[in-house]
Amino acid sequence: MPTFALMKKGWMFISVLFLLAILSAFNINGTTHSGPINRPATLFATSNSIGEVSFSHRSSLVSSIDVPLPLRGVSEQILYRKAYVVSYNKDYRIPNWVAWHLPSEHAYGDIKRPGNAWHEDLDVPAPRATVADYKGSGWTRGHMCPAGDNKWDSEAMYNTFLFSNCCPQNANLNSGTWNQIEISTRRWAERWGDLYIVCGPILFRQEHETIGENKVVVPEAFFKVIVCLNNRHPKGIGFICRNTDGNRKKDLYVNSVKQVERITGITFFPHLPKELADAVKNKADINDWE
């Protein structure tokens, strides 16, 4: 074989090895990870979308989030915002889940809720939810990651008004029990330190109501799971609320994180060490938080 051909073949082999090394280093197989960490109080973000991924506003806060495992048989587009990560479902025009990290210093702030802030998320495909879909629908625009958790930064606050962070929600639930849970979560963050939170809609196996020209799906219920790792007794708690008219004490809706996993089919905080995961997922006692 001519010398040039041998050299060319050798360079091709080296190039393949180099490419494989890059792929291995970045774990390019539909999932990307930051490196493992030693402090159990710090989690890390994972992109698990098979579809499009937006890496805009990939902040250090977002990089501390351990997002749920990929969903099976469900449309999923992972989007990174300044303060949260969302798994968006283009078939339903609502999120599958939204995850964020709430440190104590972000529990309160001076940023005011902007007027007429709700806006389309142009990072998701059309058709998508718009203001017009909600007008006259009888349903309110229910934040998943709350505006109240983002008073520390104007951009983070504005991002919460994207419709990809929103679901049609019963008005009394939105201003009642759901609001109770949001307020309590901020109080817990101030008291206990860093919280890691995931919330989203629950869709029963039935035909779903939709609103507007874009047929935005109305969930039958909502979930929220919260873990705290910053003390000698790590803890977790979950809530499940029907999307119905009601304003009862949040204590009535408490579930363990494991129970919420069973009901939703979502695996939360998948990179926690097993012993720590068992400690925060299998027990839920509101008295541990109040």
Side-chain angles (χ1 to χ4, degrees):
M1 182 179 293
T3 302
F4 176 79
L6 285 171
M7 291 177 62
K8 184 177 180 182
K9 204 166 187 177
W11 278 111
M12 287 178 64
F13 179 72
I14 292 170
S15 299
V16 169
L17 289 178
F18 180 70
L19 178 59
L20 288 173
I22 293 175
L23 293 176
S24 176
F26 288 94
N27 193 23
I28 300 176
N29 58 358
T31 305
T32 57
H33 301 268
S34 63
I37 43 76
N38 295 321
R39 292 184 298 131
T42 305
L43 304 180
F44 50 93
T46 310
S47 164
N48 55 29
S49 174
I50 297 174
E52 298 176 52
V53 178
S54 169
F55 291 98
S56 59
H57 307 308
R58 184 70 177 273
S59 67
S60 59
L61 187 69
V62 162
S63 295
S64 68
I65 299 170
D66 187 12
V67 303
L69 288 181
L71 303 176
R72 294 186 177 184
V74 175
S75 172
E76 184 170 44
Q77 178 184 355
I78 303 299
L79 298 159
Y80 290 91
R81 305 305 181 197
K82 186 164 189 176
Y84 66 85
V85 184
V86 56
S87 164
Y88 177 76
N89 190 315
K90 65 180 178 59
D91 297 329
Y92 297 149
R93 287 53 144 172
I94 57 175
N96 296 308
W97 51 257
V98 181
W100 66 101
H101 169 200
L102 184 62
S104 57
E105 62 268 24
H106 290 176
Y108 295 94
D110 298 325
I111 302 299
K112 303 298 182 185
R113 182 186 181 107
N116 299 318
W118 285 105
H119 54 295
E120 290 181 55
D121 189 342
L122 300 181
D123 288 333
V124 306
R128 53 183 171 257
T130 67
V131 171
D133 291 316
Y134 282 83
K135 284 185 176 177
S137 70
W139 297 92
T140 62
R141 291 164 285 194
H143 282 88
M144 294 296 95
C145 180
D149 285 12
N150 291 278
K151 292 181 178 180
W152 54 278
D153 182 89
S154 57
E155 182 182 359
M157 165 76 80
Y158 189 63
N159 284 345
T160 68
F161 289 91
L162 286 162
F163 278 111
S164 55
N165 180 48
C166 173
C167 292
Q169 194 169 53
N170 179 279
N172 284 332
L173 174 63
N174 196 352
S175 62
T177 304
W178 197 250
N179 186 49
Q180 281 184 46
I181 296 169
E182 291 177 345
I183 292 170
S184 294
T185 302
R186 287 190 285 275
R187 188 175 73 248
W188 295 340
E190 192 173 38
R191 180 177 181 182
W192 300 109
D194 300 85
L195 301 183
Y196 299 91
I197 307 162
V198 187
C199 84
I202 297 175
L203 301 174
F204 298 158
R205 293 182 179 177
Q206 63 181 53
E207 186 174 347
H208 310 297
E209 179 181 347
T210 63
I211 61 171
E213 182 179 341
N214 293 305
K215 300 188 182 303
V216 181
V217 166
V218 179
E220 286 75 48
F222 294 94
F223 73 86
K224 178 172 280 189
V225 294
I226 305 162
V227 298
C228 176
L229 309 174
N230 280 358
N231 57 70
R232 294 180 181 178
H233 303 287
K235 52 185 174 282
I237 195 168
F239 298 91
I240 290 181
C241 302
R242 289 258 189 172
N243 196 10
T244 55
D245 186 4
N247 183 13
R248 303 166 70 191
K249 287 184 65 177
K250 66 181 183 300
D251 308 42
L252 301 173
Y253 301 92
V254 170
N255 289 260
S256 70
V257 175
K258 185 62 71 176
Q259 287 171 319
V260 180
E261 286 186 328
R262 179 179 56 80
I263 291 167
T264 62
I266 301 173
T267 301
F268 304 109
F269 316 113
H271 297 99
L272 285 178
K274 185 179 185 306
E275 185 176 349
L276 185 56
D278 289 342
V280 301
K281 286 188 176 186
N282 291 320
K283 178 191 173 186
D285 186 345
I286 195 75
N287 295 317
D288 288 342
W289 296 82
E290 299 288 21

